[in-house]
Amino acid sequence: WSGELPSVAGDFFMVVDANLASLKSDPAVSRRIQYSVQPSEDGNLLAQVAITYNHHGSFDWKTTRYRTYTRVYVPRGSQLVSVSGAMENDRLLDPARRPGEASVTEEGGFAVFGAFISIEPGESGTLAFTYELPADIAERVRSGGDYSLTAAKQPGTAGYPLTLDLKFGKNLRYAAPAEEEREQGDDRYRLTTDLRVDRDFTIRF
């Protein structure tokens, strides 16, 4: 109820949207969140949070282009590698549609990456942050320890669809929640769920 950020020891992400002068457009915009992890060339873990917005509405008295400054909270010590889909401003104020940049800050014990994106009615767009996870998370995976992930929902939001695709370069021995049986027995964890509530995932190697 308080919106307090949790205290976690493993991997974590939370996507937070901020409606910027978009009237009451939020109900017309669906969101889908994808989270992926894969080994990087230097032996660490490269993560990506991608948010896809789909604007189903039209211009009317309560709906307009959806303008949001989106922040992603991730483990402290994460290093931003790149951002895609970020915009300098919306189509009206920046007809050239110049790409925007991401900000990097800290809050509540987490690293925070933020960027602006605008979605026109009838269109869709994806904002993606790629970053390197802290070395201690990768080290736990390399040494055979558990990998844990908390995916937190933004307070007050509906159950956005969430897809996980986590690749570690070594076979999984146990995962909770379990994958579908046809997905088991390899080095990847693939699951589709939603963020009606905060979700916790545990993987053992």
Side-chain angles (χ1 to χ4, degrees):
W1 286 95
S2 68
E4 180 181 7
L5 290 168
S7 176
V8 297
D11 197 3
F12 172 88
F13 74 87
M14 178 172 69
V15 175
V16 178
D17 279 315
N19 179 320
L20 301 179
S22 300
L23 303 179
K24 302 297 183 182
S25 298
D26 288 85
V29 180
S30 64
R31 299 157 178 81
R32 184 176 71 254
I33 299 173
Q34 296 173 290
Y35 182 64
S36 61
V37 170
Q38 63 179 356
S40 62
E41 293 182 357
D42 59 4
N44 288 320
L45 291 175
L46 202 62
Q48 183 183 83
V49 176
I51 312 100
T52 298
Y53 302 87
N54 195 345
H55 199 320
H56 303 282
S58 58
F59 288 105
D60 58 37
W61 65 274
K62 65 181 179 63
T63 307
T64 184
R65 59 181 54 85
Y66 185 66
R67 296 163 40 89
T68 176
Y69 187 79
T70 301
R71 290 169 294 157
V72 177
Y73 289 71
V74 300
R76 174 181 279 176
S78 297
Q79 299 294 318
L80 182 66
V81 175
S82 64
V83 62
S84 64
M87 299 177 179
E88 184 73 22
N89 214 315
D90 62 38
R91 176 178 289 176
L92 181 65
L93 297 176
D94 180 27
R97 309 297 292 271
R98 291 171 294 179
E101 297 182 353
S103 65
V104 179
T105 58
E106 286 193 5
E107 182 181 343
F110 295 93
V112 184
F113 308 139
F116 175 84
I117 188 172
S118 176
I119 310 299
E120 298 290 309
E123 296 184 3
S124 63
T126 299
L127 179 63
F129 299 90
T130 301
Y131 54 97
E132 197 169 79
L133 288 168
D136 64 312
I137 295 178
E139 178 57 33
R140 280 201 297 272
V141 171
R142 282 196 299 269
S143 63
D146 294 354
Y147 167 87
S148 63
L149 168 66
T150 297
K153 65 169 288 183
Q154 179 178 358
T157 58
Y160 301 149
L162 170 65
T163 300
L164 301 180
D165 186 0
L166 314 179
K167 184 175 182 179
F168 300 97
K170 57 192 306 184
N171 282 357
L172 283 57
R173 181 169 56 88
Y174 167 87
E179 301 172 275
E180 293 185 19
E181 187 172 351
R182 61 185 175 84
E183 301 285 7
Q184 297 175 8
D186 58 14
D187 66 345
R188 297 175 71 178
Y189 179 76
R190 288 157 287 199
L191 192 74
T192 298
T193 180
D194 59 55
L195 284 176
R196 287 183 293 121
V197 297
D198 295 351
R199 300 289 185 187
D200 292 311
F201 306 89
T202 300
I203 294 172
R204 296 174 186 157
F205 304 96

